[in-house]
Amino acid sequence: MDLTAVLPEIIMIIFAAVLPAVYLGTKNDKMVAGISIAGILIAMATVGQFLWNGASPVVFENLLQLDAFSALFMLVFLIVALYVVIASVRYIEKERHLAEYYTLIMFATVGMMVVASATDLITLFVGIELTSLSSFALVGFRKKDKRGAEAATKYFVIGGLSSAISLYGISLLYGVTHTTNIAEIGAVVGDITGLGPALYISLVMLIAGFGFKVAIVPFHMWAPDVYEGAPTPIASFLAAGSKKMGLVALFKIFLIGLFAIKADWEIAVAVIAIATMTLGNIMAVNQTSIKRMLAYSSIAQAGYILIVLPIGTDYALMGGIFHIITHAFMKGGAFLIVAGLSMSALGENIADYKGLAKRTPLLALGMAILLFALAGIPPLSGFASKVVLFSSAVDASMIPADNWMIWLAIAGVLNSALSLYYYARVVKYMYVEKGPESKIRIPTTVAIAIFICVVATVIIGIYPEPIVDACQAAATAFFA
């Protein structure tokens, strides 16, 4: 049996499984973190070697496929897991159940990797649930924290509801097409003349179910509360990893399985995308908590990426993948800075960031870079990825029948301009407003994780060509 397609997942599962036993025998939290990092790095090397060699797609039991698309997303998820684990070394060192914490992160990452390579709806659903169940426990990791317990409860209830809705949509789709293979569903749907009520209901259920996972409007209400109550590195993990997994699932279902009936759902998804980016940005403007502001910002960013579905070209998918990659570093880094500062007793209100540039110049500079990148200011990575993503809408609007798609680009640009207001407000507080002058120091491990995110944000912005080429190869493999 050829295990090449599942080798990265097997490596992660083996390392995750031994962590509790290692901690039980040694009681050494740093050793457990080190083993987690080693497992992630070995899995990254396996995926990186596949990408580097440009190998042909490898299939496992017609359920999973390792190709340029799945390998690129695996690498993104593994990088997110890596910097979250590095940042967590000092963040949770005084907590109990440390081994379980790292094990859950690794299992959640395995679920994301399974979704990236899934070719079957059941496999895709299993991957999503593996990530969801692990994430529920991670959000409520600090059981004595009331906000964490409330966030975990809310996340569990909403997550369970969304899973049930998704599963109902999948079952209806199976009833109509008699297959769970995503490519075969696409072929069967393409031969159907006239959509029956079962297929329409399935469409609604799938949009609603996966909409909860991605936190698109109107299924977004849980996200700010969960991000605010979760341990901040886990909030980073959810924003940079878990939500991206939901977008990958939407790409597979709508751009492969339901692409033949795109005319029946593209307008509805386009309206949802514009509503998501607009409401997310409007709600972010009024927030006083920086974690809630970043949470609403994540909702808006999901709206930007969602325009890939109605456009439906490989150029749009390339732009969506590119923005997912840059967002993983921008948003992940911003949450980690909040985590590092909270460890130095700095509050999570935006007003607490007054005068931060004098207290810790490098962290303030890093936060400014990440926030301006999220707003799409050149020459940072967010600008490059938004240019590709929004220009794909302009490109699609050149076709007369699709000229309405220009509004997707216009909405994206206007919303990016709006987002600059609340990002710049944080920068103003850090550099212009006066605050306490005592110096702030954060743990070295958190600083390393932040450094990874900031450097990636700057380098990708200045020299985006290698990432763009990788995204182009991934989009080509996706539609092959």
Side-chain angles (χ1 to χ4, degrees), residues 75-96:
L75 209 51
V76 173
F77 296 142
L78 287 166
I79 291 172
V80 171
L82 178 66
Y83 69 62
V84 169
V85 168
I86 292 173
S88 298
V89 172
R90 290 289 304 279
Y91 192 86
I92 62 159
E93 64 180 351
K94 296 179 181 177
E95 304 287 340
R96 299 175 62 192

Side-chain angles (χ1 to χ4, degrees), residues 206-230:
L206 290 170
I207 291 174
F210 289 106
F212 274 117
K213 303 288 185 190
V214 182
I216 58 177
V217 172
F219 314 109
H220 65 285
M221 297 78 73
W222 61 271
D225 293 340
V226 171
Y227 286 14
E228 186 178 33

Side-chain angles (χ1 to χ4, degrees), residues 230-316:
T232 308
I234 298 306
S236 174
F237 188 63
L238 296 178
S242 181
K243 279 187 67 174
K244 308 301 181 291
M245 173 197 68
L247 287 163
V248 173
L250 284 172
F251 290 165
K252 287 179 178 266
I253 292 174
F254 283 85
L255 295 182
I256 297 177
L258 301 172
F259 191 72
I261 55 170
K262 176 170 169 285
D264 293 289
W265 52 258
E266 62 183 4
I267 298 293
V269 175
V271 170
I272 291 173
I274 293 175
T276 301
M277 64 178 81
T278 305
L279 189 66
N281 281 320
I282 289 174
M283 293 299 293
V285 169
N286 296 319
Q287 299 306 312
T288 55
S289 162
I290 193 157
K291 287 178 75 173
R292 292 185 72 86
M293 186 203 79
L294 291 173
Y296 277 110
S297 163
S298 285
I299 293 170
Q301 300 285 339
Y304 300 148
I305 299 168
L306 203 62
I307 71 172
V308 171
L309 297 185
I311 298 172
T313 62
D314 58 348
Y315 183 19

Side-chain angles (χ1 to χ4, degrees), residues 33-111:
I35 292 173
S36 305
I37 292 170
I40 294 169
L41 288 174
I42 293 172
M44 285 174 64
T46 306
V47 178
Q49 184 184 23
F50 177 85
L51 282 173
W52 181 263
N53 292 336
S56 302
V58 186
V59 178
F60 177 76
E61 298 294 331
N62 205 28
L63 298 173
L64 298 164
Q65 176 170 299
L66 182 63
D67 55 21
F69 177 85
S70 57
L72 184 59
F73 271 103
M74 283 185 184
L75 209 51
V76 173
F77 296 142
L78 287 166
I79 291 172
V80 171
L82 178 66
Y83 69 62
V84 169
V85 168
I86 292 173
S88 298
V89 172
R90 290 289 304 279
Y91 192 86
I92 62 159
E93 64 180 351
K94 296 179 181 177
E95 304 287 340
R96 299 175 62 192
H97 309 298
L98 293 174
E100 289 85 346
Y101 176 88
Y102 294 116
T103 298
L104 288 168
I105 289 178
M106 296 185 78
F107 275 133
T109 309
V110 170

Side-chain angles (χ1 to χ4, degrees), residues 134-369:
S134 303
S135 301
F136 298 153
L138 287 169
V139 170
F141 183 71
R142 287 175 165 167
K143 290 183 287 187
K144 294 182 179 178
D145 181 359
K146 290 183 179 178
R147 286 195 313 172
E150 180 188 347
T153 304
K154 187 173 291 186
Y155 194 30
F156 177 74
V157 172
I158 297 292
L161 178 65
S162 66
S163 296
I165 294 172
S166 303
L167 195 57
Y168 187 50
I170 289 173
S171 64
L172 285 175
L173 196 55
Y174 173 75
V176 172
T177 62
H178 305 290
T179 178
T180 55
N181 182 278
I182 299 173
E184 291 176 6
I185 288 172
V188 174
V189 169
D191 293 334
I192 295 177
T193 54
L195 299 186
L199 196 50
Y200 272 121
I201 296 173
S202 172
L203 266 174
V204 174
M205 294 291 106
L206 290 170
I207 291 174
F210 289 106
F212 274 117
K213 303 288 185 190
V214 182
I216 58 177
V217 172
F219 314 109
H220 65 285
M221 297 78 73
W222 61 271
D225 293 340
V226 171
Y227 286 14
E228 186 178 33
T232 308
I234 298 306
S236 174
F237 188 63
L238 296 178
S242 181
K243 279 187 67 174
K244 308 301 181 291
M245 173 197 68
L247 287 163
V248 173
L250 284 172
F251 290 165
K252 287 179 178 266
I253 292 174
F254 283 85
L255 295 182
I256 297 177
L258 301 172
F259 191 72
I261 55 170
K262 176 170 169 285
D264 293 289
W265 52 258
E266 62 183 4
I267 298 293
V269 175
V271 170
I272 291 173
I274 293 175
T276 301
M277 64 178 81
T278 305
L279 189 66
N281 281 320
I282 289 174
M283 293 299 293
V285 169
N286 296 319
Q287 299 306 312
T288 55
S289 162
I290 193 157
K291 287 178 75 173
R292 292 185 72 86
M293 186 203 79
L294 291 173
Y296 277 110
S297 163
S298 285
I299 293 170
Q301 300 285 339
Y304 300 148
I305 299 168
L306 203 62
I307 71 172
V308 171
L309 297 185
I311 298 172
T313 62
D314 58 348
Y315 183 19
L317 182 60
M318 181 187 73
I321 297 170
F322 190 18
H323 197 60
I324 285 173
I325 293 172
T326 60
H327 186 254
F329 291 112
M330 297 184 294
K331 188 54 61 70
F335 269 117
L336 292 182
I337 289 178
V338 176
L341 292 174
S342 69
M343 294 173 69
S344 302
L346 191 74
E348 293 177 353
N349 285 327
I350 296 175
D352 296 325
Y353 284 60
K354 288 181 177 178
L356 189 67
K358 290 185 178 178
R359 305 178 72 187
T360 172
L362 287 178
L363 270 188
L365 177 63
M367 183 60 112
I369 289 172

